mmCIF file of all heavy atoms in Angstrom:
data_model
loop_
_atom_site.group_PDB
_atom_site.id
_atom_site.type_symbol
_atom_site.label_atom_id
_atom_site.label_comp_id
_atom_site.label_asym_id
_atom_site.label_seq_id
_atom_site.Cartn_x
_atom_site.Cartn_y
_atom_site.Cartn_z
ATOM 1 N N GLY A 27 -33.557 142.780 -12.409
ATOM 2 C CA GLY A 27 -32.158 143.119 -12.177
ATOM 3 C C GLY A 27 -31.466 143.749 -13.400
ATOM 4 O O GLY A 27 -30.249 143.865 -13.407
ATOM 5 N N PHE A 28 -32.255 144.213 -14.362
ATOM 6 C CA PHE A 28 -31.725 144.972 -15.503
ATOM 7 C C PHE A 28 -32.277 146.372 -15.508
ATOM 8 O O PHE A 28 -33.488 146.562 -15.323
ATOM 9 C CB PHE A 28 -32.100 144.270 -16.860
ATOM 10 C CG PHE A 28 -31.428 142.974 -17.076
ATOM 11 C CD1 PHE A 28 -32.063 141.802 -16.768
ATOM 12 C CD2 PHE A 28 -30.148 142.886 -17.619
ATOM 13 C CE1 PHE A 28 -31.464 140.568 -16.997
ATOM 14 C CE2 PHE A 28 -29.530 141.658 -17.850
ATOM 15 C CZ PHE A 28 -30.194 140.489 -17.531
ATOM 16 N N VAL A 29 -31.414 147.352 -15.670
ATOM 17 C CA VAL A 29 -31.896 148.740 -15.812
ATOM 18 C C VAL A 29 -32.081 149.015 -17.289
ATOM 19 O O VAL A 29 -31.126 148.888 -18.077
ATOM 20 C CB VAL A 29 -30.874 149.728 -15.218
ATOM 21 C CG1 VAL A 29 -31.423 151.157 -15.332
ATOM 22 C CG2 VAL A 29 -30.600 149.414 -13.741
ATOM 23 N N PHE A 30 -33.291 149.376 -17.645
ATOM 24 C CA PHE A 30 -33.596 149.726 -19.046
ATOM 25 C C PHE A 30 -33.707 151.246 -19.110
ATOM 26 O O PHE A 30 -34.575 151.819 -18.459
ATOM 27 C CB PHE A 30 -34.908 149.112 -19.507
ATOM 28 C CG PHE A 30 -34.833 147.581 -19.597
ATOM 29 C CD1 PHE A 30 -35.143 146.824 -18.477
ATOM 30 C CD2 PHE A 30 -34.425 146.937 -20.748
ATOM 31 C CE1 PHE A 30 -35.093 145.417 -18.519
ATOM 32 C CE2 PHE A 30 -34.378 145.566 -20.821
ATOM 33 C CZ PHE A 30 -34.718 144.814 -19.727
ATOM 34 N N THR A 31 -32.804 151.898 -19.846
ATOM 35 C CA THR A 31 -32.758 153.360 -19.948
ATOM 36 C C THR A 31 -33.108 153.769 -21.350
ATOM 37 O O THR A 31 -32.366 153.583 -22.290
ATOM 38 C CB THR A 31 -31.356 153.871 -19.577
ATOM 39 O OG1 THR A 31 -30.984 153.385 -18.270
ATOM 40 C CG2 THR A 31 -31.363 155.398 -19.513
ATOM 41 N N PHE A 32 -34.359 154.340 -21.486
ATOM 42 C CA PHE A 32 -34.853 154.768 -22.785
ATOM 43 C C PHE A 32 -34.689 156.249 -23.038
ATOM 44 O O PHE A 32 -35.019 157.084 -22.124
ATOM 45 C CB PHE A 32 -36.336 154.429 -22.930
ATOM 46 C CG PHE A 32 -36.636 152.964 -23.124
ATOM 47 C CD1 PHE A 32 -36.843 152.107 -22.028
ATOM 48 C CD2 PHE A 32 -36.686 152.436 -24.407
ATOM 49 C CE1 PHE A 32 -37.112 150.756 -22.230
ATOM 50 C CE2 PHE A 32 -36.961 151.090 -24.604
ATOM 51 C CZ PHE A 32 -37.179 150.221 -23.506
ATOM 52 N N PHE A 33 -34.255 156.629 -24.214
ATOM 53 C CA PHE A 33 -34.176 157.992 -24.631
ATOM 54 C C PHE A 33 -35.422 158.327 -25.413
ATOM 55 O O PHE A 33 -35.621 157.788 -26.519
ATOM 56 C CB PHE A 33 -32.907 158.266 -25.469
ATOM 57 C CG PHE A 33 -31.668 158.256 -24.624
ATOM 58 C CD1 PHE A 33 -31.127 157.043 -24.157
ATOM 59 C CD2 PHE A 33 -31.028 159.439 -24.327
ATOM 60 C CE1 PHE A 33 -29.985 157.068 -23.393
ATOM 61 C CE2 PHE A 33 -29.873 159.442 -23.562
ATOM 62 C CZ PHE A 33 -29.352 158.239 -23.088
ATOM 63 N N VAL A 34 -36.292 159.182 -24.835
ATOM 64 C CA VAL A 34 -37.596 159.474 -25.442
ATOM 65 C C VAL A 34 -37.612 160.906 -25.955
ATOM 66 O O VAL A 34 -37.829 161.824 -25.201
ATOM 67 C CB VAL A 34 -38.735 159.230 -24.428
ATOM 68 C CG1 VAL A 34 -40.096 159.502 -25.094
ATOM 69 C CG2 VAL A 34 -38.680 157.793 -23.866
ATOM 70 N N SER A 35 -37.247 161.073 -27.202
ATOM 71 C CA SER A 35 -37.210 162.377 -27.815
ATOM 72 C C SER A 35 -37.260 162.226 -29.362
ATOM 73 O O SER A 35 -37.243 161.096 -29.845
ATOM 74 C CB SER A 35 -35.964 163.094 -27.429
ATOM 75 O OG SER A 35 -34.797 162.536 -27.944
ATOM 76 N N SER A 36 -37.303 163.326 -30.034
ATOM 77 C CA SER A 36 -37.371 163.334 -31.476
ATOM 78 C C SER A 36 -36.048 163.588 -32.149
ATOM 79 O O SER A 36 -35.963 163.737 -33.331
ATOM 80 C CB SER A 36 -38.418 164.351 -31.944
ATOM 81 O OG SER A 36 -39.699 164.034 -31.424
ATOM 82 N N HIS A 37 -34.968 163.703 -31.362
ATOM 83 C CA HIS A 37 -33.661 163.945 -31.978
ATOM 84 C C HIS A 37 -32.666 162.916 -31.467
ATOM 85 O O HIS A 37 -32.929 162.158 -30.512
ATOM 86 C CB HIS A 37 -33.170 165.383 -31.665
ATOM 87 C CG HIS A 37 -33.187 165.754 -30.225
ATOM 88 N ND1 HIS A 37 -34.332 166.048 -29.535
ATOM 89 C CD2 HIS A 37 -32.151 165.900 -29.396
ATOM 90 C CE1 HIS A 37 -34.045 166.361 -28.281
ATOM 91 N NE2 HIS A 37 -32.735 166.261 -28.149
ATOM 92 N N LEU A 38 -31.518 162.847 -32.103
ATOM 93 C CA LEU A 38 -30.519 161.815 -31.880
ATOM 94 C C LEU A 38 -30.011 161.910 -30.455
ATOM 95 O O LEU A 38 -29.737 163.003 -29.934
ATOM 96 C CB LEU A 38 -29.397 161.900 -32.829
ATOM 97 C CG LEU A 38 -29.673 161.512 -34.334
ATOM 98 C CD1 LEU A 38 -28.424 161.713 -35.126
ATOM 99 C CD2 LEU A 38 -30.109 160.063 -34.373
ATOM 100 N N PRO A 39 -29.775 160.777 -29.826
ATOM 101 C CA PRO A 39 -29.138 160.785 -28.459
ATOM 102 C C PRO A 39 -27.690 161.149 -28.584
ATOM 103 O O PRO A 39 -27.135 161.213 -29.672
ATOM 104 C CB PRO A 39 -29.317 159.291 -28.038
ATOM 105 C CG PRO A 39 -29.388 158.526 -29.318
ATOM 106 C CD PRO A 39 -30.091 159.442 -30.277
ATOM 107 N N PRO A 40 -27.042 161.411 -27.445
ATOM 108 C CA PRO A 40 -25.604 161.787 -27.448
ATOM 109 C C PRO A 40 -24.740 160.759 -28.176
ATOM 110 O O PRO A 40 -24.874 159.557 -27.954
ATOM 111 C CB PRO A 40 -25.238 161.847 -25.955
ATOM 112 C CG PRO A 40 -26.554 162.186 -25.304
ATOM 113 C CD PRO A 40 -27.621 161.468 -26.066
ATOM 114 N N VAL A 41 -23.907 161.263 -29.078
ATOM 115 C CA VAL A 41 -23.099 160.378 -29.930
ATOM 116 C C VAL A 41 -22.276 159.332 -29.145
ATOM 117 O O VAL A 41 -22.207 158.163 -29.532
ATOM 118 C CB VAL A 41 -22.158 161.254 -30.838
ATOM 119 C CG1 VAL A 41 -21.198 160.338 -31.595
ATOM 120 C CG2 VAL A 41 -22.994 162.059 -31.788
ATOM 121 N N PRO A 42 -21.624 159.696 -27.994
ATOM 122 C CA PRO A 42 -20.851 158.682 -27.296
ATOM 123 C C PRO A 42 -21.641 157.456 -26.816
ATOM 124 O O PRO A 42 -21.038 156.409 -26.580
ATOM 125 C CB PRO A 42 -20.279 159.470 -26.097
ATOM 126 C CG PRO A 42 -20.296 160.927 -26.553
ATOM 127 C CD PRO A 42 -21.518 161.057 -27.378
ATOM 128 N N LEU A 43 -22.957 157.639 -26.719
ATOM 129 C CA LEU A 43 -23.788 156.516 -26.230
ATOM 130 C C LEU A 43 -24.248 155.576 -27.328
ATOM 131 O O LEU A 43 -24.733 154.482 -27.059
ATOM 132 C CB LEU A 43 -25.026 157.062 -25.473
ATOM 133 C CG LEU A 43 -24.738 157.921 -24.217
ATOM 134 C CD1 LEU A 43 -26.076 158.376 -23.649
ATOM 135 C CD2 LEU A 43 -23.942 157.100 -23.190
ATOM 136 N N LEU A 44 -24.108 156.000 -28.562
ATOM 137 C CA LEU A 44 -24.698 155.223 -29.707
ATOM 138 C C LEU A 44 -24.235 153.780 -29.729
ATOM 139 O O LEU A 44 -25.044 152.891 -30.026
ATOM 140 C CB LEU A 44 -24.353 155.934 -30.998
ATOM 141 C CG LEU A 44 -24.909 157.377 -31.164
ATOM 142 C CD1 LEU A 44 -24.604 157.892 -32.585
ATOM 143 C CD2 LEU A 44 -26.376 157.416 -30.899
ATOM 144 N N PRO A 45 -22.947 153.455 -29.431
ATOM 145 C CA PRO A 45 -22.527 152.049 -29.503
ATOM 146 C C PRO A 45 -23.260 151.144 -28.489
ATOM 147 O O PRO A 45 -23.251 149.923 -28.625
ATOM 148 C CB PRO A 45 -21.053 152.088 -29.239
ATOM 149 C CG PRO A 45 -20.631 153.511 -29.575
ATOM 150 C CD PRO A 45 -21.785 154.334 -29.182
ATOM 151 N N GLY A 46 -23.837 151.761 -27.425
ATOM 152 C CA GLY A 46 -24.468 150.975 -26.396
ATOM 153 C C GLY A 46 -25.903 150.502 -26.702
ATOM 154 O O GLY A 46 -26.478 149.671 -26.001
ATOM 155 N N PHE A 47 -26.475 151.025 -27.817
ATOM 156 C CA PHE A 47 -27.852 150.624 -28.183
ATOM 157 C C PHE A 47 -27.859 149.359 -29.036
ATOM 158 O O PHE A 47 -26.831 149.037 -29.674
ATOM 159 C CB PHE A 47 -28.511 151.774 -28.941
ATOM 160 C CG PHE A 47 -28.547 153.069 -28.163
ATOM 161 C CD1 PHE A 47 -28.173 154.273 -28.803
ATOM 162 C CD2 PHE A 47 -28.919 153.121 -26.838
ATOM 163 C CE1 PHE A 47 -28.180 155.472 -28.106
ATOM 164 C CE2 PHE A 47 -28.953 154.314 -26.164
ATOM 165 C CZ PHE A 47 -28.586 155.502 -26.788
ATOM 166 N N LEU A 48 -29.003 148.702 -29.079
ATOM 167 C CA LEU A 48 -29.170 147.572 -29.974
ATOM 168 C C LEU A 48 -28.944 148.035 -31.433
ATOM 169 O O LEU A 48 -29.565 149.009 -31.857
ATOM 170 C CB LEU A 48 -30.582 147.017 -29.812
ATOM 171 C CG LEU A 48 -30.974 145.890 -30.779
ATOM 172 C CD1 LEU A 48 -30.112 144.639 -30.538
ATOM 173 C CD2 LEU A 48 -32.452 145.547 -30.531
ATOM 174 N N GLN A 49 -28.053 147.334 -32.125
ATOM 175 C CA GLN A 49 -27.667 147.730 -33.491
ATOM 176 C C GLN A 49 -28.430 146.819 -34.489
ATOM 177 O O GLN A 49 -28.831 145.709 -34.239
ATOM 178 C CB GLN A 49 -26.192 147.577 -33.709
ATOM 179 C CG GLN A 49 -25.385 148.374 -32.678
ATOM 180 C CD GLN A 49 -25.486 149.867 -32.805
ATOM 181 O OE1 GLN A 49 -25.437 150.394 -33.942
ATOM 182 N NE2 GLN A 49 -25.662 150.585 -31.707
ATOM 183 N N LYS A 50 -28.581 147.387 -35.724
ATOM 184 C CA LYS A 50 -29.274 146.634 -36.756
ATOM 185 C C LYS A 50 -28.542 145.385 -37.184
ATOM 186 O O LYS A 50 -29.138 144.485 -37.783
ATOM 187 C CB LYS A 50 -29.548 147.525 -37.967
ATOM 188 C CG LYS A 50 -30.830 148.416 -37.779
ATOM 189 C CD LYS A 50 -31.316 148.899 -39.112
ATOM 190 C CE LYS A 50 -32.706 149.480 -38.925
ATOM 191 N NZ LYS A 50 -33.315 149.866 -40.273
ATOM 192 N N ASP A 51 -27.234 145.341 -36.890
ATOM 193 C CA ASP A 51 -26.497 144.083 -37.223
ATOM 194 C C ASP A 51 -26.690 143.024 -36.225
ATOM 195 O O ASP A 51 -26.115 141.940 -36.286
ATOM 196 C CB ASP A 51 -24.997 144.408 -37.384
ATOM 197 C CG ASP A 51 -24.332 144.878 -36.048
ATOM 198 O OD1 ASP A 51 -25.048 144.879 -35.003
ATOM 199 O OD2 ASP A 51 -23.139 145.176 -36.071
ATOM 200 N N GLY A 52 -27.594 143.254 -35.206
ATOM 201 C CA GLY A 52 -27.900 142.235 -34.239
ATOM 202 C C GLY A 52 -26.961 142.203 -33.063
ATOM 203 O O GLY A 52 -26.847 141.161 -32.386
ATOM 204 N N SER A 53 -26.279 143.298 -32.761
ATOM 205 C CA SER A 53 -25.420 143.332 -31.591
ATOM 206 C C SER A 53 -25.944 144.228 -30.515
ATOM 207 O O SER A 53 -26.647 145.224 -30.819
ATOM 208 C CB SER A 53 -24.005 143.787 -32.000
ATOM 209 O OG SER A 53 -24.052 145.102 -32.540
ATOM 210 N N LEU A 54 -25.691 143.905 -29.279
ATOM 211 C CA LEU A 54 -26.121 144.714 -28.121
ATOM 212 C C LEU A 54 -25.064 144.648 -27.079
ATOM 213 O O LEU A 54 -24.605 143.573 -26.668
ATOM 214 C CB LEU A 54 -27.445 144.176 -27.556
ATOM 215 C CG LEU A 54 -27.952 144.797 -26.277
ATOM 216 C CD1 LEU A 54 -28.259 146.288 -26.452
ATOM 217 C CD2 LEU A 54 -29.147 144.026 -25.722
ATOM 218 N N LEU A 55 -24.671 145.796 -26.582
ATOM 219 C CA LEU A 55 -23.651 145.934 -25.547
ATOM 220 C C LEU A 55 -24.341 146.166 -24.173
ATOM 221 O O LEU A 55 -24.982 147.176 -23.989
ATOM 222 C CB LEU A 55 -22.700 147.087 -25.849
ATOM 223 C CG LEU A 55 -21.352 147.129 -25.079
ATOM 224 C CD1 LEU A 55 -20.530 145.900 -25.397
ATOM 225 C CD2 LEU A 55 -20.596 148.381 -25.427
ATOM 226 N N ILE A 56 -24.237 145.181 -23.305
ATOM 227 C CA ILE A 56 -24.865 145.276 -21.979
ATOM 228 C C ILE A 56 -23.808 145.624 -20.959
ATOM 229 O O ILE A 56 -22.808 144.912 -20.806
ATOM 230 C CB ILE A 56 -25.548 143.945 -21.597
ATOM 231 C CG1 ILE A 56 -26.679 143.646 -22.578
ATOM 232 C CG2 ILE A 56 -26.081 143.996 -20.161
ATOM 233 C CD1 ILE A 56 -27.415 142.322 -22.266
ATOM 234 N N ALA A 57 -23.996 146.731 -20.249
ATOM 235 C CA ALA A 57 -23.105 147.103 -19.175
ATOM 236 C C ALA A 57 -23.384 146.226 -17.948
ATOM 237 O O ALA A 57 -24.497 145.871 -17.696
ATOM 238 C CB ALA A 57 -23.244 148.573 -18.831
ATOM 239 N N ILE A 58 -22.318 145.954 -17.172
ATOM 240 C CA ILE A 58 -22.452 145.182 -15.969
ATOM 241 C C ILE A 58 -21.859 146.025 -14.820
ATOM 242 O O ILE A 58 -20.709 146.417 -14.813
ATOM 243 C CB ILE A 58 -21.668 143.856 -16.027
ATOM 244 C CG1 ILE A 58 -22.184 143.030 -17.253
ATOM 245 C CG2 ILE A 58 -21.855 143.049 -14.761
ATOM 246 C CD1 ILE A 58 -21.325 141.830 -17.532
ATOM 247 N N ARG A 59 -22.750 146.387 -13.862
ATOM 248 C CA ARG A 59 -22.328 147.288 -12.798
ATOM 249 C C ARG A 59 -22.766 146.790 -11.469
ATOM 250 O O ARG A 59 -23.904 146.306 -11.303
ATOM 251 C CB ARG A 59 -22.850 148.686 -13.049
ATOM 252 C CG ARG A 59 -22.353 149.359 -14.365
ATOM 253 C CD ARG A 59 -22.906 150.735 -14.503
ATOM 254 N NE ARG A 59 -22.409 151.642 -13.467
ATOM 255 C CZ ARG A 59 -22.854 152.915 -13.316
ATOM 256 N NH1 ARG A 59 -23.770 153.372 -14.107
ATOM 257 N NH2 ARG A 59 -22.348 153.665 -12.330
ATOM 258 N N GLU A 60 -21.941 146.963 -10.475
ATOM 259 C CA GLU A 60 -22.301 146.686 -9.078
ATOM 260 C C GLU A 60 -23.344 147.704 -8.620
ATOM 261 O O GLU A 60 -23.251 148.899 -8.953
ATOM 262 C CB GLU A 60 -21.087 146.709 -8.166
ATOM 263 C CG GLU A 60 -20.137 145.539 -8.275
ATOM 264 C CD GLU A 60 -20.650 144.330 -7.537
ATOM 265 O OE1 GLU A 60 -20.836 144.400 -6.283
ATOM 266 O OE2 GLU A 60 -20.862 143.268 -8.168
ATOM 267 N N ILE A 61 -24.292 147.251 -7.793
ATOM 268 C CA ILE A 61 -25.330 148.124 -7.331
ATOM 269 C C ILE A 61 -24.784 149.352 -6.576
ATOM 270 O O ILE A 61 -25.329 150.442 -6.605
ATOM 271 C CB ILE A 61 -26.363 147.365 -6.462
ATOM 272 C CG1 ILE A 61 -27.625 148.237 -6.202
ATOM 273 C CG2 ILE A 61 -25.780 146.900 -5.149
ATOM 274 C CD1 ILE A 61 -28.766 147.527 -5.566
ATOM 275 N N THR A 62 -23.642 149.163 -5.899
ATOM 276 C CA THR A 62 -22.981 150.235 -5.189
ATOM 277 C C THR A 62 -22.450 151.315 -6.089
ATOM 278 O O THR A 62 -22.137 152.431 -5.665
ATOM 279 C CB THR A 62 -21.854 149.681 -4.291
ATOM 280 O OG1 THR A 62 -20.977 148.872 -5.088
ATOM 281 C CG2 THR A 62 -22.418 148.830 -3.178
#
C-alpha cells in the first residue's frame, strides 16, 4: 500500500521535489493520498 517512486538518473531531480526525499538529518516526508 505504499507507492515507491525512484528517480533513476545521473543528474539532480526537480528542485521542488527535493524536500520529499529521505534527508540526511533523518527526516522523511510521506504523502498520504486516496486511491481515487
Side-chain angles (χ1 to χ4, degrees):
F28 291 95
V29 181
F30 295 88
T31 306
F32 285 91
F33 287 74
V34 182
S35 67
S36 300
H37 53 286
L38 289 177
V41 173
L43 298 179
L44 299 185
F47 303 133
L48 176 63
Q49 305 293 313
K50 279 201 166 183
D51 65 2
S53 62
L54 173 64
L55 196 62
I56 297 179
I58 303 171
R59 298 181 65 187
E60 285 281 300
I61 191 171
T62 52

